Amino acid sequence: MIKPDAVANGHIGAILDKITKSGFKIVALKLIALSEEKAGEFYSVHKERGFYKDLVAFMSSGPVVAAILEKDNAIEDYRKLIGATDPAKAEPGTIRNLFAKSIDANAVHGSDSDENAEIEGNFFFSAFERV
Ligand code: ATP
Ligand code: MG
């Protein structure tokens, strides 16, 4: 997912370009606004964390771009491409290093396992919306 900060700052094209140039195939893609309820559902694993309320408010503050990406070793390679959760700690050249300003507004989301990628893909896309 491209988060509201990166969408608002005009980075959709640059981020998708980095993703595709890194060997990922886009198999589903949409621009969509999450309600607070849907953002809360998406990040429900974090609901006991202190930052959950702010995270939900931020993720519903503007449109996001949702995508399903395919590649061998996709989870690990994509997380390497986006860099650390805190952009201040993200390696130079990673998406969060280039396009994010803070740990709250960190430009992109990545699934953390094959199982969660399946769940999150189904959260955003019907079978009809995938190629
Ligand atoms: P994401 O799930 O968005 O890809 P991540 O897997 O790198 O990020 P998580 O631990 O899953 O990190 O946290 C989800 C999101 O919650 C982070 O992207 C960040 O925006 C926010 N977050 C995480 N830790 C903190 C924190 N200590 N303070 C504020 N926000 C945080
Ligand atoms: Mg995460």
Side-chain angles (χ1 to χ4, degrees), residues 65-130:
V65 172
I68 299 178
L69 306 175
E70 275 181 7
K71 186 181 182 297
D72 288 344
N73 204 36
I75 298 291
E76 199 184 326
D77 287 359
Y78 181 77
R79 296 203 64 100
K80 226 175 269 167
L81 176 66
I82 68 178
T85 306
D86 181 353
K89 296 179 184 148
E91 292 289 316
T94 59
I95 291 174
R96 282 169 169 163
N97 167 259
L98 291 170
F99 301 112
K101 298 261 163 17
S102 71
I103 193 167
D104 313 271
N106 60 2
V108 283
H109 161 77
S111 303
D112 56 16
S113 65
D114 287 344
E115 189 193 1
N116 283 335
E118 185 81 33
I119 293 167
E120 292 174 357
N122 291 333
F123 176 90
F124 281 111
F125 299 99
S126 66
F128 177 69
E129 294 173 299
R130 305 164 193 227

